[in-house]
């Protein structure tokens, strides 16, 4: 199995990814902030324990944000789409707007 080469990656999918980046990033941040709120109100922990859990959560999630949203270039576009899809950040309608080739390749890679 190979990743779609930059030369094979459809221009329309690259443009669509750039269009959807702000909304999908906003969704991911919303998920992270919801998790942070749960950590900060978790019963049975000291404030310091909550702080440590929050710090670890932010560090882990920062890596997830980077994988999906940093270094957006056409050569990394497929990997970004894969990461965003893996996190369920596209609506069904948004994902359906990508080319059949890209959608199939995302689903094939995820099935492995």
């Amino acid at each position: 199995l190979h990743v779609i080469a930059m030369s094979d990656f459809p221009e329309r999918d690259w443009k669509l990814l750039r269009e959807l980046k702000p909304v999908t990033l906003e969704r991911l941040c919303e998920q992270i902030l919801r998790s942070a709120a749960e950590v900060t109100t978790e019963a049975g922990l000291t404030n310091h324990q909550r702080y440590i859990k929050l710090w670890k959560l932010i560090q882990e999630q920062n890596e997830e944000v980077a994988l999906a949203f940093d270094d957006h270039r056409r050569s990394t576009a497929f990997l970004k789409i894969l990461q965003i899809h893996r996190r369920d950040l596209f609506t069904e309608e948004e994902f359906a707007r990508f080319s059949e080739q890209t959608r199939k390749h995302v689903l094939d890679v995820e099935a492995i």
Side-chain angles (χ1 to χ4, degrees):
L1 186 67
H2 72 287
V3 173
I4 298 173
M6 185 174 83
S7 59
D8 296 336
F9 192 78
E11 177 71 19
R12 74 180 200 124
D13 287 348
W14 166 236
K15 289 179 179 179
L16 178 57
L17 176 61
R18 289 186 319 189
E19 174 189 326
L20 294 175
K21 180 181 177 182
V23 69
T24 54
L25 177 58
E26 189 67 15
R27 288 179 190 139
L28 179 56
C29 290
E30 180 182 358
Q31 289 176 1
I32 294 168
L33 290 172
R34 240 184 318 202
S35 296
E38 291 172 12
V39 167
T40 61
T41 58
E42 190 173 337
L45 298 179
T46 66
N47 286 330
H48 185 250
Q49 290 169 323
R50 286 186 198 110
Y51 171 80
I52 296 297
K53 282 187 81 168
L54 180 60
W55 176 251
K56 289 178 182 177
L57 173 71
I58 295 297
Q59 285 182 314
E60 291 167 5
Q61 294 305 307
N62 192 51
E63 292 176 21
E64 293 288 326
V65 171
L67 282 172
F69 296 101
D70 288 359
D71 194 31
H72 265 237
R73 293 177 285 141
R74 191 163 175 188
S75 62
T76 63
F78 175 75
L79 295 175
K80 301 306 176 182
I81 292 169
L82 184 62
Q83 289 298 323
I84 293 168
H85 189 263
R86 185 182 65 83
R87 292 290 306 243
D88 293 323
L89 299 172
F90 292 124
T91 64
E92 287 182 34
E93 295 80 16
E94 289 165 346
F95 188 62
R97 292 173 59 196
F98 287 101
S99 67
E100 183 177 346
Q101 169 194 359
T102 296
R103 290 191 321 267
K104 182 183 181 321
H105 200 64
V106 165
L107 297 175
D108 287 349
V109 170
E110 287 178 342
I112 295 176

